Amino acid sequence: QFARLPFKLNARLSSNFLSGLGMALLTIAMVNTSTEHFPGIKALIPVVGTLCLIAAGSGAWLNRKLFSWRPVVGIGLISYPLYLWHWPLLAYGYIMAGETLPPRGYRIAMVFIALALATLTYWAVERPIRFGKNARKLKMIALIAFMITLGITGGIVYQQKVKNLPENYRDILFRDEACDVIADGYCKYHDAKGKATVLVVGDSHAAMAYERIAIHNEKNGVNTLLLGHSIEFNPVNGKLANLDYVSRLFYAVQSDTKIKKVFIFTRGMYYIDSRGKEFFVQKTQASIDNLLQMGKEVYLVADNPDLPFNIRSIFSIQPLLLMNRKKAALYKTGVLTHQKVYLQALQELKGAKILYTLDAFCPENECLLFNENGLPLYYDYNHISIHAGGEFLVQRVLAPYLDE
């Protein structure tokens, strides 16, 4: 007995050390909640911690005193339904709030609600299905049938969503084979066999608006051309990192005598935030002057309001969004504050007709996120959606100037 005593002491010390190490690793994992590069090497921390607790066995002090405590055991029993319930409750709160995190009170309430629902699910669903002795084969068949039905239903819903909302999930094509005006950048051409061409020029905001402008112009027998580039090489007021591209673009515009009207679309708020008001005014005015010297009519389409959230993450659960309008809505007063410097910059531009979009998107204090058919007007947080948003912009703002 005395000979075995050191072995027992060493075994107990080892198990206590393992359980303590495991608890420490789990605590680190819970405290360090940053999602950067996760999952990754950091995911090993909770995994190794759990392995240490299991390897420590039932003899470890922490395992005997803490993890054998009935309330903790109870949490373990409902852990899986708790995992299933807590995520949608907290995720929907995040979506409706449109913030990094929903309010603290909401999060605390949802944790308690998740605990209650998990307990109910454990006793009313999990235990009868897992441990009930009656109709075991029937339960297995029913679960498989339910899983297959759920998968088919999800596939149908997804296909229907993609069909009805193509602008939200399909790739945007910035070039087409019909356009050979310029070798790089955006180049799309809609030939309506007309004698006049409308040029849509700028950055990605121009690319998103082009499609519905082209469709509208075709009804009037007017061709539509898209030219431009992304923010990095925006020919209107971007960083102008590729001056050769910009000069070739303006040469192509000058050479095309069919181009009578030019509609400039640009993320002016971005340029002002990143480069300053003077940069935006200087570069945009230079482009306007260049186009005016070519004899073009120039229209600058002002930025639509930016959203405080990405609408792509919420449009599929629009009813939940509408239930919590105050936290998910966008208000005109806030947009005016956000765009104050930008709107001042627009007033300094000369020679171009400024087409303001704010009153169209925000006819009242609360701005519009969806059209009358429930389709989103935005592609993300600042680009309009190609079809619903583009049509809205054409009908509410651009049509009178396209039809002149």
Side-chain angles (χ1 to χ4, degrees), residues 160-218:
Q160 191 67 21
K161 181 170 65 176
V162 171
K163 179 181 178 181
N164 291 338
L165 298 166
E167 68 272 19
N168 280 69
Y169 279 106
R170 294 183 183 173
D171 292 336
I172 303 164
L173 299 178
F174 295 122
R175 296 185 62 85
D176 59 33
E177 294 180 357
C179 189
D180 58 359
V181 175
I182 196 165
D184 45 7
Y186 304 156
C187 189
K188 298 184 75 171
Y189 181 65
H190 192 89
D191 188 0
K193 310 300 180 183
K195 297 181 179 180
T197 298
V198 166
L199 171 63
V200 178
V201 65
D203 51 29
S204 56
H205 278 203
M208 301 300 281
Y210 166 80
E211 196 74 29
R212 300 309 296 192
I213 293 175
I215 292 173
H216 180 88
N217 284 341
E218 184 178 26

Side-chain angles (χ1 to χ4, degrees), residues 58-203:
S58 59
W61 185 88
L62 269 176
N63 293 8
R64 285 187 292 110
K65 297 296 183 180
L66 178 61
F67 296 112
S68 297
W69 188 31
R70 289 182 65 86
V72 177
V73 173
I75 294 294
L77 291 174
I78 66 169
S79 60
Y80 187 65
L82 180 61
Y83 160 75
L84 295 177
W85 277 113
H86 92 284
W87 177 250
L89 292 173
L90 293 175
Y92 288 159
Y94 161 75
I95 292 170
M96 290 187 292
E99 301 170 353
T100 303
L101 286 173
R104 182 185 299 272
Y106 175 89
R107 285 178 279 152
I108 294 173
M110 289 304 104
V111 168
F112 282 104
I113 291 174
L115 284 169
L117 290 173
T119 302
L120 182 63
T121 302
Y122 174 75
W123 287 104
V125 179
E126 183 177 342
R127 281 184 61 87
I129 291 177
R130 290 183 61 192
F131 306 114
K133 296 181 180 180
N134 299 325
R136 289 189 173 182
K137 290 184 178 180
L138 181 61
K139 286 188 289 188
M140 181 180 67
I141 294 172
L143 287 172
I144 294 174
F146 177 74
M147 181 176 64
I148 293 173
T149 302
L150 187 63
I152 293 174
T153 302
I156 293 173
V157 170
Y158 176 79
Q159 290 297 325
Q160 191 67 21
K161 181 170 65 176
V162 171
K163 179 181 178 181
N164 291 338
L165 298 166
E167 68 272 19
N168 280 69
Y169 279 106
R170 294 183 183 173
D171 292 336
I172 303 164
L173 299 178
F174 295 122
R175 296 185 62 85
D176 59 33
E177 294 180 357
C179 189
D180 58 359
V181 175
I182 196 165
D184 45 7
Y186 304 156
C187 189
K188 298 184 75 171
Y189 181 65
H190 192 89
D191 188 0
K193 310 300 180 183
K195 297 181 179 180
T197 298
V198 166
L199 171 63
V200 178
V201 65
D203 51 29

Side-chain angles (χ1 to χ4, degrees), residues 265-324:
F265 290 80
T266 181
R267 290 182 60 185
M269 288 292 298
Y270 171 86
Y271 299 113
I272 287 179
D273 289 341
S274 60
R275 304 297 296 274
K277 176 184 170 184
E278 292 183 2
F279 170 87
F280 171 77
V281 173
Q282 178 188 1
K283 298 299 182 182
T284 306
Q285 188 64 62
S287 296
I288 292 172
D289 293 341
N290 199 351
L291 293 167
L292 289 174
Q293 290 173 7
M294 300 177 192
K296 315 298 184 183
E297 296 179 46
V298 183
Y299 302 86
L300 191 148
V301 183
D303 272 355
N304 48 266
D306 286 350
L307 301 182
F309 47 82
N310 190 335
I311 202 167
R312 296 179 71 174
S313 65
I314 63 174
F315 79 90
S316 60
I317 55 167
Q318 185 183 346
L320 286 173
L321 171 69
L322 298 178
M323 287 168 57
N324 199 2

